[in-house]
Amino acid sequence: MLDAIGIFVVAFQLFIFGYFIILNGTYTIFTFVAMRRIRAHSATASLKSLQDITSGAYHKPVSIIVPAFNEVHTIVASARSLLLLQYPEFEIIIVDDGSTDDTFEELRRAFQLAPLKKPLRTVLTHTPITDLYMSVRHANLFVVRKTNGGKADALNAGIDASHYPLFCCVDADSLLEPDALLRAAKPFVDDREVIASGGLVRVLNGCVVRDGMVEEIRAPKKGIECIQAAEYTRGFLSGRMAWNAFSSLLIISGAFGVFRKDLVLAVGGYYPTVGEDMDLVVRLHRYCCENNLRYKVVFVPEPVCWTQVPSDLRSLLRQRSRWHRGLVDTLWRNRTMFGNPRYGTVGLFGLPYFALVEMLGPAIEFVGYLGFVILFLLNWVDPEFALLFLVVAVLWGIWINVAGVMLDNLVFRRYRDLRDVLKLSLYGSLEFLGYRQLLAAERLISTFQWRSGWGQARRQKIESEVGEKREAET
Amino acid sequence: MIGIAQIINPALLRIILLRVIEVMAAFLVVLFAILVVQKLAIERRERHLKRLRLDYLRRLTPPYSVLPPPHTDIEFEAMGVALADRIRTGTSHERRELQQIVRRFAVDTFYERRARGRSWTRRIGAMEALASFALPESRPFVIARLQREKDQRVLSKAVVALSLVAGALADLELVTDMLLTLGSVSSKFNEFVYTNCIRSLRAADHEGDYVQALKSAKADEGMPWPLKRDMIEAAGKAGLAAARGIIASFYRYSGDALMRVTCLRALGNLEGLGQIMNEALMDDDWRVRAVAVRYGFQGGADAMPLVKRALRDENYYVRLNAGVTMMKFGANGFQALCEEAEGPDPFAREIAYYAMNAVPADA
């Protein structure tokens, strides 16, 4: 009996140890791969090459689609920031998804909207469009009003109302940097195989915003926001850059992504799920592989989209739960791609990684923490080994997060003040002391609730100092 | 005590873990050191470069004789960026004067040295700078680099550099050869390069060479259709009126709808649609009709009945473009739209209402 328990305990410890090595080893490899790729990318995406795009015929026009549901606090600032984008030819389509607050009234007041009786060609599935408006002040600003159908539904309506061959989806609570669209759309004119590109999403909390523009970049004030800022930096710069290198990028953030419209129409647009952004990218991979199309889905590190992150634990847990449910849903609906060589590196490498590490990771981690405590209490773990292992785990975790912040600072240098960089590094180091475990537990619970909906979001008003504004519930 | 320690020697495990901790701690210290050094030293260099660049930008105004010559790499770099900026935005006269400064201070030689360097990131930056100067004297160097360079990313910058100084048919042929070897560059990139070529050839009074290249492309069966389309598109964008004839012959010669669309767009830009307007408006492919109808007003009053008929086309885009074009026919067009707005066809009625309300007359 004791032998059986012994074998089980050894197997359990080896499994957890192996998982830990694979997880952190992957993150470390990703950091080094990202370092090389970002350096190469920075060399090719120079200021001169952007000037070429703005100066001549060397661009493709873009429709920016902004789905908005009860975004009264953020929508006008967001639209103003979009109007300031440096891009030769673009239109902004705000889709009011049946808001019950004053979102539309705010827009009407701010931009002098006039009704437009343009007949629309409906290709994608969405709830009926009730009205179409055009700004009298800005000829490239349109507002589509429709009955409520969710974010994916609103995006589909926006695509149907758009005119240009590329479209860019932007969250209503996000701000784009003036050259963000130029940088995100550049791969489409450089390389005919690019079908989708995503940019870097950074944390807006703590920054100084004026007239829809981020004027001063500062680290957030609250600890929970700082940890997320470090997490975003690592996730986007190391994670997505490395997936890019392995041609297996499965996520383009819903907050900011550019897509080729013809292909999105071919796959039927967005699917109504909480993870509609990942779902679309996976279906694009699938469609192109099944039709033997040469294609690229790319992550571009410089175009920056600033977004608000939750500043309280409840909203954060809700957001992560939603992300996890989206992930499970997408993986489940595309399960035929798993390990299937027909889908190239995405099928053989990307999806299995996401399933084993991202989807099942919380369960494995949680079992690991719980098992470790039980074994420790039963005196079945050598205390010295346990302590040394814990130190290795914490140091490795800190290294990965600090490397992410360093990577950002080596190439982009957004945070001008050394104190901000050190603050992010410090909070990044604290991620492994409670924060990660809490999120793992929430994600584990979400795994069993993946059919439920979006839930309510909390928004801060985008104004001068976002970090200091009191939260307003929508 | 049971667990991993049962299968691995506990002493060995302890030593391994201690070593790993030492390495991790050392790595962490190195990371923090890089972070701080980067913030304090490298960013200071960048600030210095920015200051120098702004200083050169301020001084790059006539008379240029008071400009101090650069000595260090950072001064050359700052002056190069400032000169590139000024050349890009200056008038043709200013551009010539600034190009002389590039030569006088050997800024081009500095970048040519860099363009031969070992690091591809440096080579790419240098090639881009040389392209910005658009010095005809750099042409032999750029051609030599094109023949030796192996890195595709640097090659694409070199192609752009050559397109900006192209002076003869041979340059155009080399550009085409390079575009064929460059893999997956987009049509927009090709179009951009050919547009540059046309402008450079025009400046050298060799515009006819581009028309000649289009004729050769038409005769060349081996040349991919997409590249031929990009050449035609560029001719339209750059306003190469001399190419109207050859583009019209491409239109008739091709059974490919996309080629017809390209030719229509180019001829539309060159205002040379006259002869083929009517057949384009009756084309079997809706994409051809949609483009033709956009330029329908170039066909004058004769084309108006066909455009009006397009209001009832089976395709949404053709109908929409027809509505917008009708407004460009002035009072007659407006009158025709009013009739359609009262007519029996619901599609034509809808489009007519939209065009009359949303499109300014003679838009």
Side-chain angles (χ1 to χ4, degrees):
Chain A
M1 179 63 185
L2 195 64
D3 275 349
I5 293 173
I7 291 167
F8 172 74
V9 171
V10 170
F12 174 75
Q13 287 186 12
L14 282 175
F15 175 70
I16 296 297
F17 192 67
Y19 174 77
F20 164 79
I21 298 284
I22 290 172
L23 184 71
N24 281 322
T26 314
Y27 285 155
T28 308
I29 293 169
F30 279 9
T31 306
F32 286 113
V33 171
M35 215 172 271
R36 270 184 70 90
R37 298 280 299 194
I38 288 177
R39 188 171 159 265
H41 185 87
S42 300
T44 48
S46 62
L47 189 64
K48 165 77 174 60
S49 61
L50 293 180
Q51 284 165 349
D52 287 341
I53 295 180
T54 50
S55 61
Y58 187 37
H59 71 271
K60 285 185 179 176
V62 181
S63 304
I64 302 171
I65 302 170
V66 190
F69 175 69
N70 290 353
E71 299 282 0
V72 69
H73 295 290
T74 57
I75 193 68
V76 173
S78 182
R80 285 210 175 108
S81 116
L82 294 174
L83 285 165
L84 294 173
L85 286 175
Q86 297 163 4
Y87 201 79
E89 197 178 354
F90 69 99
E91 63 177 0
I92 301 165
I93 299 169
I94 298 172
V95 186
D96 177 13
D97 189 27
S99 295
T100 50
D101 65 1
D102 283 342
T103 300
F104 177 71
E105 288 309 318
E106 279 286 309
L107 285 168
R108 175 141 62 183
R109 260 196 299 276
F111 302 110
Q112 275 187 280
L113 300 178
L116 187 63
K117 294 286 176 206
K118 182 186 171 187
L120 284 179
R121 183 168 185 254
T122 305
V123 180
L124 299 172
T125 311
H126 51 79
T127 57
I129 291 173
T130 51
D131 296 295
L132 179 64
Y133 292 85
M134 185 180 168
S135 167
V136 175
R137 287 190 196 162
H138 307 278
N140 61 340
L141 176 69
F142 300 89
V143 176
V144 173
R145 294 194 85 186
K146 63 185 276 292
T147 43
N148 183 257
K151 187 179 175 187
D153 197 81
L155 283 165
N156 283 343
I159 296 169
D160 268 347
S162 67
H163 302 99
Y164 295 141
L166 299 179
F167 77 87
C168 168
C169 55
V170 180
D171 275 355
D173 61 336
S174 303
L175 300 178
L176 294 188
E177 288 203 336
D179 63 357
L181 192 58
L182 266 183
R183 291 183 184 275
K186 186 176 175 292
F188 292 89
V189 287
D190 283 347
D191 188 337
R192 64 167 173 265
E193 290 174 6
V194 173
I195 60 164
S197 80
L200 185 63
V201 178
R202 284 181 186 274
V203 172
L204 181 65
N205 309 45
C207 297
V208 179
V209 180
R210 257 182 214 105
D211 299 326
M213 301 273 284
V214 179
E215 208 166 67
E216 196 181 329
I217 298 165
R218 303 300 306 264
K221 290 197 169 59
K222 285 187 180 177
I224 194 171
E225 297 166 343
C226 278
I227 297 179
Q228 290 175 80
E231 204 187 357
Y232 270 60
T233 308
R234 184 197 66 216
F236 276 91
L237 284 183
S238 310
R240 297 207 183 166
M241 207 64 214
W243 284 118
N244 209 8
F246 301 128
S247 309
S248 301
L249 187 66
L250 293 186
I251 306 179
I252 284 179
S253 171
F256 179 44
V258 182
F259 298 86
R260 242 176 69 179
K261 193 164 87 175
D262 57 344
L263 277 165
V264 173
L265 290 176
V267 300
Y270 284 91
Y271 180 81
T273 164
V274 285
E276 80 295 327
D277 44 3
M278 182 181 182
D279 177 77
L280 177 70
V281 178
V282 174
R283 280 188 295 120
L284 283 172
H285 278 293
R286 193 173 174 169
Y287 178 84
C288 290
C289 290
E290 286 172 357
N291 291 285
N292 295 320
L293 301 176
R294 288 168 67 97
Y295 75 102
K296 285 176 191 151
V297 175
V298 297
F299 171 72
V300 198
E302 305 101 328
V304 173
C305 169
W306 295 92
T307 195
Q308 291 182 52
V309 295
S311 51
D312 64 288
L313 192 61
R314 222 176 124 197
S315 305
L316 174 68
L317 292 177
R318 213 159 37 204
Q319 181 201 51
R320 295 309 160 95
S321 163
R322 199 174 63 234
W323 288 2
H324 198 72
R325 280 182 281 128
L327 170 76
V328 177
D329 191 31
T330 302
L331 292 178
W332 175 250
R333 288 193 312 103
N334 293 287
R335 58 191 180 279
T336 50
M337 293 172 75
F338 276 69
N340 191 338
R342 185 180 181 192
Y343 300 101
T345 50
V346 174
L348 292 175
F349 184 46
L351 280 168
Y353 174 90
F354 269 79
L356 295 175
V357 176
E358 297 293 341
M359 187 177 83
L360 297 178
I364 298 170
E365 269 185 51
F366 197 74
V367 170
Y369 297 134
L370 200 68
F372 210 74
V373 172
I374 292 170
L375 293 179
F376 192 80
L377 291 176
L378 291 173
N379 201 24
W380 284 354
V381 174
D382 182 352
E384 193 187 13
F385 167 74
L387 183 70
L388 289 175
F389 182 69
L390 188 71
V391 174
V392 170
V394 170
L395 278 179
W396 202 348
I398 293 175
W399 186 89
I400 289 166
N401 265 345
V402 176
V405 176
M406 188 204 71
L407 193 62
D408 182 29
N409 195 62
L410 274 180
V411 191
F412 304 115
R413 296 189 268 284
R414 293 288 169 158
Y415 296 96
R416 308 305 301 182
D417 197 328
L418 178 63
R419 279 171 302 183
D420 284 332
V421 176
L422 292 177
K423 189 177 175 185
L424 288 185
S425 306
L426 177 71
Y427 276 101
S429 312
L430 297 179
E431 186 193 335
F432 296 87
L433 305 174
Y435 175 88
R436 190 179 171 89
Q437 290 74 14
L438 204 62
L439 293 193
E442 177 65 28
R443 288 165 66 202
L444 178 62
I445 296 165
S446 313
T447 309
F448 303 103
Q449 304 173 330
W450 59 283
R451 290 285 187 198
S452 39
W454 269 79
Q456 280 281 303
R458 282 161 163 246
R459 294 276 185 259
Q460 289 173 288
K461 188 163 180 149
I462 300 178
E463 261 181 21
S464 25
E465 267 222 332
V466 169
E468 285 182 357
K469 289 290 157 191
R470 191 180 287 270
E471 281 208 338
E473 281 226 40
T474 57
Chain B
M1 195 76 62
I2 50 179
I4 288 181
Q6 268 186 328
I7 53 169
I8 304 173
N9 181 346
L12 181 66
L13 191 64
R14 188 172 171 274
I15 291 169
I16 292 172
L17 286 174
L18 280 172
R19 288 285 169 275
V20 171
I21 289 171
E22 280 172 16
V23 171
M24 291 277 174
F27 267 28
L28 214 50
V29 171
V30 170
L31 270 189
F32 272 109
I34 294 175
L35 208 59
V36 174
V37 169
Q38 165 84 14
K39 266 283 166 227
L40 299 178
I42 299 175
E43 287 189 17
R44 204 177 68 183
R45 184 191 181 274
E46 286 207 339
R47 281 195 296 273
H48 180 50
L49 179 66
K50 193 177 170 189
R51 261 199 313 272
L52 276 173
R53 185 176 62 86
L54 289 174
D55 189 43
Y56 277 120
L57 271 176
R58 196 168 43 79
R59 287 165 184 248
L60 278 173
T61 42
Y64 299 110
S65 52
V66 293
L67 265 176
H71 297 292
T72 58
D73 277 9
I74 195 168
E75 284 173 356
F76 270 105
E77 220 174 299
M79 191 180 216
V81 177
L83 279 165
D85 263 11
R86 283 271 186 266
I87 288 172
R88 191 174 61 86
T89 53
T91 61
S92 57
H93 173 68
E94 283 168 346
R95 223 174 1 243
R96 271 193 297 277
E97 282 193 316
L98 291 162
Q99 283 170 335
Q100 279 169 13
I101 295 173
V102 173
R103 301 279 295 162
R104 178 161 31 115
F105 291 127
V107 182
D108 55 337
T109 317
F110 169 78
Y111 281 110
E112 282 176 6
R113 203 171 53 240
R114 281 199 162 190
R116 283 189 292 259
R118 289 182 63 186
S119 152
W120 72 267
T121 51
R122 278 201 160 200
R123 293 205 301 276
I124 215 168
M127 200 48 87
E128 220 168 55
L130 287 171
S132 310
F133 302 149
L135 279 175
E137 293 85 351
S138 295
R139 198 168 134 255
F141 175 80
V142 174
I143 291 172
R145 286 314 309 163
L146 271 171
Q147 282 154 354
R148 285 190 194 161
E149 183 61 57
K150 297 275 180 275
D151 191 295
Q152 295 260 314
R153 292 161 293 196
V154 185
L155 268 178
S156 70
K157 300 286 176 188
V159 171
V160 174
L162 180 61
S163 74
L164 289 162
V165 292
L169 186 60
D171 296 340
L172 203 53
E173 285 166 355
L174 182 57
V175 164
T176 302
D177 285 346
M178 295 315 298
L179 289 177
L180 286 169
T181 61
L182 268 179
S184 66
V185 289
S186 75
S187 287
K188 275 284 169 193
F189 181 82
N190 297 342
E191 196 187 305
F192 171 64
V193 167
Y194 281 126
T195 314
N196 289 341
C197 286
I198 295 171
R199 287 180 185 143
S200 310
L201 289 168
R202 188 176 285 155
D205 215 10
H206 280 266
E207 220 177 44
D209 285 359
Y210 196 86
V211 180
Q212 185 55 45
L214 277 173
K215 284 179 183 160
S216 310
K218 192 183 161 202
D220 185 353
E221 294 290 335
M223 189 174 180
W225 279 98
L227 197 60
K228 292 180 185 178
R229 289 206 301 265
D230 300 338
M231 286 183 83
I232 294 168
E233 198 85 62
K237 288 270 163 59
L240 188 65
R244 277 182 193 145
I246 178 73
I247 295 174
S249 74
F250 261 109
Y251 180 89
R252 296 214 166 87
Y253 160 77
S254 166
D256 176 27
L258 286 177
M259 175 57 95
R260 295 204 295 283
V261 165
T262 304
C263 292
L264 280 177
R265 265 206 300 257
L267 288 171
N269 286 337
L270 299 172
E271 299 192 356
L273 267 173
Q275 298 165 351
I276 54 175
M277 173 69 77
N278 287 1
E279 58 184 290
L281 283 169
M282 289 186 286
D283 199 284
D284 288 340
D285 196 294
W286 71 266
R287 291 168 297 182
V288 179
R289 294 199 304 277
V291 177
V293 87
R294 258 174 59 191
Y295 296 103
F297 61 94
Q298 286 186 17
D302 292 348
M304 206 177 85
L306 284 173
V307 176
K308 190 180 171 191
R309 205 177 69 177
L311 284 169
R312 297 171 190 191
D313 195 280
E314 61 186 20
N315 184 276
Y316 164 82
Y317 296 104
V318 180
R319 294 198 300 270
L320 197 66
N321 286 352
V324 174
T325 303
M326 284 298 282
M327 288 299 283
K328 296 181 182 174
F329 283 112
N332 290 343
F334 188 79
Q335 184 57 40
L337 279 174
C338 287
E339 286 164 18
E340 285 299 332
E342 306 277 303
D345 188 324
F347 290 124
R349 215 162 49 214
E350 206 176 26
I351 293 291
Y353 270 121
Y354 163 69
M356 287 191 296
N357 290 318
V359 185
D362 300 326

